[in-house]
């Protein structure tokens, strides 16, 4: 398996533009997570899905952020409009199962977003 | 989930053992202790996890205090490739989700 795939790897955009980050989880995994990492705040959980359904989006910073998972093999994180403070590395992770037994999370390589 | 406390940074000489401490004084009986690490410019990766007993795998060992209020990740022979940020995370086994809350971690520098 190729692991968790994220695209693009780097994104540079101007303030006010719409940004869409993409993630393909490991095949068969039923949990998908979006994280954001900055120097100031570290690694933060934004939202996670179980079987394509959003379960907890309490980490999403504001209405400018939205995430979808239309099917088991694809998820998007959209920022509209983008602001300079959104500049960060965004990670997608997936796992098989959740709750009760331990389920290792597998992380993608991340998307480095720069908003000018 | 209960909170963990780790030193911000540590140094080790190459090929020597490294002991990375983690305090979790408010741990509950159903909290698992997980360790992940993040190599430079990469996403975090799983290292090891445990509940009460010490654990060993090919990457590291996890020593858990008898009262479970602290634990130590042991790298038996540090290599340059082990330079990373190491995160100690608690997760309640009865939680319905599988989310992790990462703290600030310990940045390990390995000196050649």
């Amino acid at each position: 398996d190729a692991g968790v795939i994220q695209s693009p790897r780097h994104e540079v955009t101007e303030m006010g533009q719409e940004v869409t980050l993409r993630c393909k989880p490991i095949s068969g995994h039923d949990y998908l997570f979006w994280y954001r990492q900055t120097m100031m705040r570290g690694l933060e959980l934004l939202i996670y899905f179980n079987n394509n359904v959003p379960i907890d989006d309490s980490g999403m910073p504001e209405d400018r952020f939205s995430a979808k998972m239309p099917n088991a093999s694809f998820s998007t994180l959209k920022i509209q409009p983008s602001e300079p403070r959104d500049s960060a590395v965004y990670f997608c992770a997936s796992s098989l199962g959740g709750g009760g037994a331990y389920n290792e999370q597998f992380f993608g390589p991340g998307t480095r977003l720069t908003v000018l | 989930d209960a909170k963990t406390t780790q030193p911000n940074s540590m140094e080790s000489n190459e090929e020597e053992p490294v002991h990375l401490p983690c305090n979790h004084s408010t741990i509950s009986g159903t909290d698992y202790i997980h360790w992940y690490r993040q190599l430079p410019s990469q996403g975090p990766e799983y290292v090891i996890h445990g509940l009460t007993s010490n654990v060993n795998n090919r990457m590291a060992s996890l020593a858990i205090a008898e009262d479970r209020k602290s634990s130590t990740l042991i790298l038996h022979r540090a290599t340059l490739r082990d330079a990373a940020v190491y995160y100690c995370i608690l997760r309640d086994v009865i939680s319905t989700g599988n989310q992790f809350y990462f703290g600030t971690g310990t940045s390990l520098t390995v000196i050649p």
Side-chain angles (χ1 to χ4, degrees):
Chain A
D1 199 318
V4 175
I5 299 172
Q6 292 188 246
S7 64
R9 293 293 309 277
H10 302 273
E11 177 80 28
V12 180
T13 190
E14 293 189 347
M15 183 174 63
Q17 296 298 306
E18 177 179 296
V19 175
T20 300
L21 311 181
R22 297 173 176 80
C23 175
K24 176 179 169 55
I26 292 173
S27 178
H29 282 190
D30 56 348
Y31 277 79
L32 183 139
F33 308 83
W34 282 100
Y35 293 86
R36 176 174 70 175
Q37 186 170 38
T38 61
M39 288 294 293
M40 291 295 294
R41 300 175 67 89
L43 197 59
E44 303 173 279
L45 176 66
L46 300 178
I47 185 172
Y48 79 94
F49 296 81
N50 176 218
N51 291 322
N52 314 335
V53 176
I55 302 300
D56 184 354
D57 65 354
S58 59
M60 295 286 263
E62 49 198 274
D63 292 345
R64 297 184 298 106
F65 285 69
S66 62
K68 294 182 179 180
M69 193 165 185
N71 57 62
S73 59
F74 183 65
S75 177
T76 60
L77 178 66
K78 186 175 293 186
I79 308 173
Q80 165 64 16
S82 58
E83 296 183 3
R85 59 188 169 133
D86 301 331
S87 297
V89 180
Y90 291 81
F91 289 102
C92 176
S94 70
S95 71
L96 177 61
Y102 175 81
N103 304 105
E104 178 181 349
Q105 286 192 19
F106 294 84
F107 283 76
T111 295
R112 181 173 296 277
L113 173 66
T114 302
V115 183
L116 303 175
Chain B
D1 293 300
K3 184 178 178 180
T4 63
T5 304
Q6 299 176 254
N8 287 333
S9 62
M10 290 184 65
E11 285 187 352
S12 173
N13 292 320
E14 194 177 10
E15 298 189 4
E16 290 187 357
V18 183
H19 291 234
L20 298 166
C22 181
N23 288 320
H24 28 79
S25 57
T26 59
I27 192 170
S28 74
T30 51
D31 279 330
Y32 268 83
I33 303 162
H34 306 269
W35 285 83
Y36 277 68
R37 72 178 184 180
Q38 187 173 18
L39 303 172
S41 301
Q42 295 187 28
E45 63 178 4
Y46 168 78
V47 178
I48 201 167
H49 78 283
L51 184 62
T52 56
S53 303
N54 294 344
V55 184
N56 300 296
N57 66 20
R58 63 177 179 81
M59 288 181 68
S61 296
L62 176 60
I64 301 173
E66 193 169 337
D67 62 6
R68 301 210 323 127
K69 293 184 184 299
S70 66
S71 59
T72 302
L73 179 70
I74 303 166
L75 307 179
H76 296 286
R77 288 180 73 238
T79 68
L80 296 178
R81 194 189 175 279
D82 291 323
V85 177
Y86 287 79
Y87 297 97
C88 170
I89 307 161
L90 299 184
R91 181 176 169 273
D92 193 330
V93 71
I94 63 175
S95 294
T96 55
N98 191 31
Q99 65 273 37
F100 288 112
Y101 297 98
F102 288 78
T104 54
T106 297
S107 179
L108 175 66
T109 299
V110 180
I111 302 168

